[in-house]
Amino acid sequence: MIDTPYLLFLGDAPDQLAAKVAQGIKDWRPENALGQYRLPGCGADLGLADMSLEQAKAAGVKTLVIGVANRGGVISAAWKEVLIKALEMEFDIASGLHNLLRDEGDLVAAAQTYGGTLHDVRVPTVGYPIANGVKRSGKRCLAVGTDCSVGKMYTALAMDAEMRKRGLKSTFRATGQTGILVTGHGVPLDAVIADFMAGSVEYLTPDNDADHWDHIEGQGSLFHVSYSGVTMALIHGGQPDALILAHEPTRTHMRGLPGYDLPTLERLRDTALPLAQVANPACVVAGVSVNTQHLSDADATAYLAKVEARMGLPAVDPYRHGAGRLVDALAAL
């Protein structure tokens, strides 16, 4: 177990989206997020108190969490200076980066010297099976996106919270470092060997009561050439009964790929649904989740109405306006 509360390390994140791990913890487990630590030039701000390591220690922080999801998961020299000092001050460190803490000799040495624990969240701890495609009882919902980092996890968390608020049977199934740090368990899907990815999703979403919904944390995008493989594993291993289309309307190109335009929601629907129906012929598209954080209230309302009229599906921002209508759509299936 990772000791709480946390100091969220934002490092030199270039923008808010790069700090999505920390943002997710702050939004969904605010009681665990006591403050943030930013290096000079950091372009992200969670609105938490900026703390030094000394201030965090005095406030009772137990673990420094690397809250940045940078491309390639690199631990830079500037970060190392802070991380080693944190270990010297007897903090634990938790990370979901692809570059593992345990592979950094100087961090391992500092942890051994001062008694700190290095938590690598992105390390599979189970020997997952190869997917068998056998139909499982219970119901499953998966958000698929026009791009990476458009709100798929927030959609699943919001729908799970709304269902549990109504007294319905529901579980959020984490598949990435942020979801695992929020809930404390899950499958680090993009660190699973490719042949076992779909099987790990089957493992994560086992047989359940007929009226129970698993809300599976989405990853990547079928249209993102860097990360489409992880999306396919979720679509086939998850055997979703319902897809939610996820979109961020202010993007000018795919995240990290300036030469690639975003697909339309119609193209996402027409691509993802047939692939989902390979594993579950009964799968349907139930709604649209739009991340409107960069739109004004009026513009968000107008955009959602336009999408809804165009797609013939409930279109909401589940974090801004609530996930009620998306849950209603699942209840109607």
Side-chain angles (χ1 to χ4, degrees):
M1 294 293 293
I2 301 174
D3 286 339
T4 59
Y6 302 148
L7 175 65
L8 301 178
F9 178 76
L10 307 187
D12 47 8
D15 55 30
Q16 200 70 21
L17 194 54
K20 68 176 186 176
V21 175
Q23 186 73 58
I25 295 170
K26 183 254 185 180
D27 287 344
W28 293 100
R29 289 293 183 272
E31 68 277 12
N32 291 344
L34 290 196
Q36 62 185 15
Y37 188 109
R38 298 187 292 170
L39 292 172
C42 181
D45 186 353
L46 303 178
L48 296 172
D50 284 295
M51 288 185 175
S52 66
L53 293 177
E54 291 78 10
Q55 290 170 327
K57 194 72 174 179
V61 165
K62 301 297 184 183
T63 303
L64 178 71
V65 175
I66 297 178
V68 184
N70 59 6
R71 191 173 178 86
V74 177
I75 301 174
S76 69
W79 291 15
K80 282 278 190 75
E81 184 177 343
V82 178
L83 300 182
I84 290 173
K85 182 179 178 183
L87 290 167
E88 291 173 351
M89 294 178 63
E90 300 181 347
F91 288 100
D92 293 341
I93 299 177
S95 169
L97 296 173
H98 280 298
N99 276 25
L100 302 180
L101 300 173
R102 69 184 187 188
D103 290 338
E104 302 292 329
D106 46 1
L107 296 182
V108 172
Q112 291 174 343
T113 299
Y114 299 101
T117 301
L118 302 177
H119 298 279
D120 282 305
V121 174
R122 222 175 196 146
V123 175
T125 57
V126 174
Y128 299 115
I130 292 175
N132 58 31
V134 174
K135 179 64 178 174
R136 306 185 295 285
S137 59
K139 297 179 182 294
R140 290 155 192 87
C141 181
L142 172 68
V144 291
T146 54
D147 194 7
C148 301
S149 305
V150 293
K152 299 181 294 294
M153 183 190 73
Y154 275 56
T155 300
L157 282 164
M159 293 180 72
D160 172 55
E162 175 65 21
M163 291 193 79
R164 287 186 289 105
K165 179 181 176 182
R166 297 184 186 188
L168 303 174
K169 298 175 184 176
S170 176
T171 305
F172 170 75
R173 302 295 189 179
T175 63
Q177 72 271 30
T178 307
I180 293 171
L181 285 165
V182 166
T183 63
H185 51 81
V187 170
L189 186 58
D190 60 8
V192 176
I193 294 172
D195 278 358
F196 302 94
M197 287 199 299
S200 73
V201 181
E202 289 185 351
Y203 174 91
L204 183 67
T205 59
D207 286 313
N208 218 314
D209 294 341
D211 57 347
H212 178 279
W213 279 93
D214 275 342
H215 296 278
I216 306 171
E217 180 185 1
Q219 300 289 340
S221 169
L222 290 171
F223 296 90
H224 199 294
V225 296
S226 303
Y227 307 119
S228 55
V230 72
T231 313
M232 276 299 306
L234 287 163
I235 289 174
H236 285 166
Q239 295 183 2
D241 297 275
L243 297 177
I244 303 295
L245 308 180
H247 182 56
E248 204 280 71
T250 67
R251 299 274 176 93
T252 57
H253 56 76
M254 300 293 282
R255 176 76 171 164
L257 298 175
Y260 287 79
D261 295 332
L262 267 70
T264 64
L265 284 163
E266 287 87 349
R267 190 178 178 202
L268 173 61
R269 175 197 63 200
D270 295 343
T271 302
L273 184 57
L275 292 172
Q277 289 174 339
V278 170
N280 183 358
C283 183
V284 300
V285 176
V288 182
S289 172
V290 182
N291 178 351
T292 65
Q293 65 175 318
H294 298 304
L295 300 178
S296 67
D297 287 342
D299 287 346
T301 299
Y303 185 85
L304 290 167
K306 181 179 177 181
V307 169
E308 188 159 323
R310 195 177 89 214
M311 301 293 293
L313 294 165
V316 303
D317 183 328
Y319 187 71
R320 189 173 191 172
H321 303 128
R325 296 182 63 226
L326 296 179
V327 170
D328 291 342
L330 295 190
L333 295 180

